[in-house]
Amino acid sequence: MSVEVARFFSEQSPLASEVSSFRPRVQQREMAMAVSDAIKNNAILVAEAGTGTGKTFAYLVPALLGGGKVIISTGTKNLQDQLFQKDLPMVRDALKAPVSIALLKGRANYVCHYHLERALNDGRFATREDIRHLAKIKKYAKISDSGDKSFVPDVPENAPIWLQVTSTRDNCLGQECPNHKECFVLKARTEAMKADIVVVNHHLFFADVMLRDEGVAELLPACNTVIFDEAHQLPETASLFFGDNLSTTQLLDLAQDTRIEAMTSAKDFAPLPRACDELDKAARDLRLVFKKEGRMPAVATESFKEFAPALKTLNEKLAQLSSMLEKQAERSEGLENCWQRAQSFSQQLKQWQDNKDDDKVRWLEVYHHSLQLNATPLSIADIFEKQIGSTSRAWIFTSATLAVKQDFSHYQGEMGLLKAKTACWDSPFNYENQALLYVPNNLPEPNSEGYTEAVVQAALPMIAASRGRAFMLFTSLRAMQRAHEILQTEFDRRGLDYPLLLQGEGTRNELLTRFREHGNAVLLGSQSFWEGVDVRGEALSLVIIDKLPFAPPDDPVLAARIAQITRQGRNAFMEYQLPRTIITLKQGAGRLIRDENDRGVLMICDPRIITKQYGKRIWQSLPPMKRTRVEAEAVAFFSQPAEPN
């Protein structure tokens, strides 16, 4: 099959004639052949392909030609949609491959007939906008084939009303639902079962593998190949689902759902709504124990004297509601579901409190409106190794950032893929001519006072030289906000007329659209702009990174993993923290050059990349750009003519 696959990456191939953006690339052809071999031999392949390799085509061609059922999992729903709506049909048509394709998302992405009807009957809404949105969703549900909420015109995907008209794993009635036959989730799963190629996302894949909830578990037995794109995200996503968690939001939803069900099916039982109110209050009181948002280990709750009594009260109110629901459950499917959830939540709450498992770290995350109790495995390697070793099929893991200086041992160790074959292809772009790495002189240590001010002052000459057209990527929201304040003042003082865009002032897609349209904007972002962002052409010519993206050492999961590695007599910094930082930095740096004609400067402000011994390991893992520490040379790069590639 490899020879046949290679034929599709020549200048005479159907891809070349059918796809206008196609360019024959040695790296792409070699990667496609490696994927083809893995599919043929039911092997595990971990493959890094630098930006511009065209890895999507490199795995799609062998997947379409290889026969059998294929699951492709992507990092985000946006990538999922692009793959299903654009890339897959394009390659399928070029290859004239007789394969069927399907898109499967988590249940929260589909309108639920039962909950829509319940919301319409309930008639209680927080805002007038909710009422307007609900009318549009009702109209859409009547005419839609898929029920996918991303196709509802004029109702934002983050509109609060969606919570009332979609189902969750907790409140789905399953086969007991009166709308079971017309269920959009069920229809999507049925189509996925029939299709040759199914596109999912990582959250859905792991939620299903662990919870048997979203339909992927039914697909896996018949599946020959699983391909993970953006596979660098898997350790984080898998940890989330291989652990246990319970949030106050789930308990508030239980109280709300029970209240609504009681109004229609148990009007004569007055104690039930009162029990819902008491659970609601207990859940909110537990959240209010903490004044600040953030993460903390479970042991840190000992310094909050209100926590233990609030948790005890929550346990009692949940048990009380569960007891009442048991007596009323037979009156409707909805009340039966609420009882099952109450029992499950009680058990989860007890497990979290009693958990003495040395292989898991217990911690809390405080959000603006909710509190989540978590128990996360210190290592997912053994769990995942068992998952993929249980049956014979091909597993492909690919991303632009998996290795450290072409060494995959960190990623393989985290994911339990020690026996996997690995391969690395550099970007085909001419970084030597297209990009410059600039590390300014005389910047203070990153933990010193006034560091963000120093970063902005060093960045201003570069922003002026690039005429805006810049991303500023920060490792914390606080630094991003502070830099934004300083830039506003400095732009006014210096008469720099570049639009300033700030993460949070609109969705990521909205900000990127505005950034491209302006053509000379400066966009400030934190974590969500470090990856998955593609701006080609002159609109982005400068990427400024404030600090090396080391994860905060007080993060409870990271701290527990570091402690475990140290107890084993190993070097946690070199084995775990540094490789993670390099992979994240490679993602941020990858925003700069997205096309063979792009040019620009990558400015890393953190002096540790030069002053620390490990700094060399970091910059050697970046694409092979020219380097300078001289501001004048970096400024001059923007006025130099592009060399022919």
Side-chain angles (χ1 to χ4, degrees), residues 22 32 44 54 57 62 113 205 424 450 453 475 513 523 577 583 610 624:
F22 177 79
I44 303 170
F57 282 15
H113 293 291
F205 185 92
C424 192
E453 286 79 358
T475 53
T513 299
L523 188 152
Q577 291 168 277
I583 287 169
I610 301 295

Side-chain angles (χ1 to χ4, degrees), residues 27-219:
Q27 297 93 330
Q28 188 180 45
R29 185 175 72 249
E30 289 180 357
M31 179 179 167
M33 291 169 71
V35 171
S36 174
D37 286 341
I39 292 173
K40 179 184 172 185
N41 298 314
N42 285 335
I44 303 170
L45 173 67
V46 178
E48 178 175 284
T51 307
T53 301
K55 62 183 167 64
T56 306
F57 282 15
Y59 66 69
L60 282 182
V61 169
L64 288 167
L65 293 177
K69 194 174 190 79
V70 181
I71 296 176
I72 301 173
S73 181
T74 68
T76 63
K77 282 184 286 188
N78 280 349
L79 284 172
Q80 199 183 354
D81 285 335
Q82 179 181 320
L83 199 56
F84 178 73
Q85 292 165 16
K86 183 184 172 188
D87 297 336
L88 250 175
M90 190 189 297
V91 175
R92 180 179 62 177
D93 292 348
L95 270 56
K96 295 184 171 50
V99 298
S100 55
I101 62 176
L103 180 68
L104 187 61
K105 297 181 180 179
R107 64 171 73 251
N109 293 277
Y110 301 96
V111 178
C112 170
H113 293 291
Y114 177 78
H115 287 95
L116 173 60
E117 189 176 328
R118 207 177 67 162
L120 289 163
N121 292 337
D122 181 36
R124 289 183 296 179
F125 305 102
T127 64
R128 290 177 184 271
E129 198 170 47
D130 282 348
I131 300 169
R132 286 197 299 273
H133 286 161
L134 185 64
K136 290 173 182 173
I137 295 168
K138 178 187 175 184
K139 186 177 178 182
Y140 169 75
K142 286 181 178 177
I143 60 168
S144 173
D145 283 333
S146 70
D148 188 333
K149 73 178 193 181
S150 63
F151 296 115
V152 184
D154 307 324
V155 181
E157 284 199 46
N158 58 355
I161 192 66
W162 284 119
L163 296 174
Q164 295 182 51
V165 300
T166 54
S167 70
T168 65
R169 178 170 58 92
D170 296 328
N171 67 20
C172 173
L173 301 184
Q175 293 189 346
E176 304 303 318
C177 179
N179 304 93
H180 184 68
K181 288 183 180 175
E182 54 189 336
C183 174
F184 287 125
V185 173
L186 200 62
K187 184 178 180 186
R189 289 181 179 181
T190 302
E191 288 176 359
M193 288 295 289
K194 294 176 185 172
D196 300 304
I197 311 271
V198 185
V199 184
V200 301
N201 62 61
H202 301 338
H203 275 78
L204 174 61
F205 185 92
F206 284 102
D208 189 74
V209 165
M210 295 311 293
L211 306 171
R212 297 292 187 268
D213 176 54
E214 304 285 359
V216 178
E218 299 164 13
L219 300 175

